[in-house]
Amino acid sequence: MTPQTSPQQLYRYLEDRFACAQACTECARACAVRASLQEPDGSGGLDQVRRLGIMCAEVCDATCRVLSEESEQDLDGVRVHLEWCRSVCLDCAHAFDAQPGAESAAAACRACAAACTDFMATFV
């Protein structure tokens, strides 16, 4: 944010930042649960889905921590982190699409990707 940021822009920024952090938390939880349902010694395809779910949970958790920090942050660095999270979430959602019963986890991944995109749009 810049010194010329209006109160409305600041409010939207903070609101979208919170929504993104919340979506990251929900996605991390859904991915961790979904990954735990995959058999680690299963077929190669299931193992890949499990690993992607674990990675998505870790990336979302890290993103939530970055967004929760109170200190001044480099917006370019936050933007890169959000883009990474968005990309991993979309990859994970596509992997979950092929898994029976994974619809809610795929939806959480897509919601998180959308929240990251929306939050990045507030950067002025």
Side-chain angles (χ1 to χ4, degrees):
M1 305 310 298
T2 66
Q4 300 147 352
T5 302
S6 74
Q8 292 83 9
Q9 289 170 314
L10 179 60
Y11 180 76
R12 178 171 178 217
Y13 172 84
L14 293 173
E15 192 173 62
D16 286 352
R17 182 178 178 143
F18 176 77
C20 186
Q22 187 174 26
C24 286
T25 299
E26 291 170 15
C27 185
R29 187 176 300 123
C31 287
V33 168
R34 189 68 207 166
S36 72
L37 296 175
Q38 304 298 326
E39 294 183 31
D41 296 331
S43 70
L46 289 180
D47 189 50
Q48 178 65 21
V49 170
R50 184 179 68 77
R51 288 178 193 209
L52 191 52
I54 292 168
M55 184 172 77
C56 190
E58 290 173 352
V59 169
C60 286
D61 184 55
T63 303
C64 185
R65 282 194 311 269
V66 165
L67 296 176
S68 298
E69 291 177 358
E70 293 294 324
S71 65
E72 285 291 318
Q73 298 175 356
D74 171 38
L75 287 183
D76 288 334
V78 173
R79 183 180 287 117
V80 167
H81 200 92
L82 290 167
E83 181 56 39
W84 178 45
C85 185
R86 187 193 72 76
S87 177
V88 170
C89 285
L90 290 177
D91 288 346
C92 194
H94 292 304
F96 285 163
D97 284 340
Q99 302 298 311
E103 296 83 7
S104 64
C109 290
R110 284 191 176 84
C112 186
C116 288
T117 300
D118 292 346
F119 181 46
M120 283 188 287
T122 65
F123 293 2
V124 182

